Amino acid sequence: MSFYTFMARNYKSSPLMHVMRTDRERFPRNGPHKLKAWGPLIRDYLLRHPELYAPDHVTEFDVRWEEYLQCVKR
């Protein structure tokens, strides 16, 4: 499951998911492998697009990414 799918299933109404939905064509979709590399890559993507992703979104991403890792590792 990708981070995008995790967010869509678990946090439909979150501010971050709302913006991710509007950016769904460009938002990076990770695979199940190399998760250590994907976290920084997605975080960097959020930071490179401040016109879409506010600092609060990056903060939420950090929390949700840790939850996502725990979910995937089960």
Side-chain angles (χ1 to χ4, degrees):
M1 165 177 26
S2 71
F3 178 72
Y4 187 95
T5 302
F6 171 80
M7 288 294 293
R9 288 182 183 172
N10 297 294
Y11 298 100
K12 295 175 198 164
S13 61
S14 81
L16 175 58
M17 187 62 220
H18 174 73
V19 179
M20 286 169 59
R21 213 175 274 117
T22 62
D23 187 32
R24 71 178 159 260
E25 296 297 321
R26 295 184 313 163
F27 192 85
R29 303 288 176 107
N30 65 295
H33 307 291
K34 299 182 181 180
L35 292 176
K36 282 187 178 183
W38 274 104
L41 187 134
I42 295 173
R43 190 174 199 283
D44 183 56
Y45 176 81
L46 301 180
L47 293 171
R48 282 186 289 127
H49 295 283
E51 71 280 5
L52 293 172
Y53 299 98
D56 290 349
H57 296 135
V58 177
T59 303
E60 182 182 355
F61 167 77
D62 292 337
V63 172
R64 301 298 179 226
W65 181 257
E66 290 303 318
E67 291 175 10
Y68 168 70
L69 290 178
Q70 295 302 316
C71 178
V72 171
K73 289 179 182 179
R74 281 190 236 155

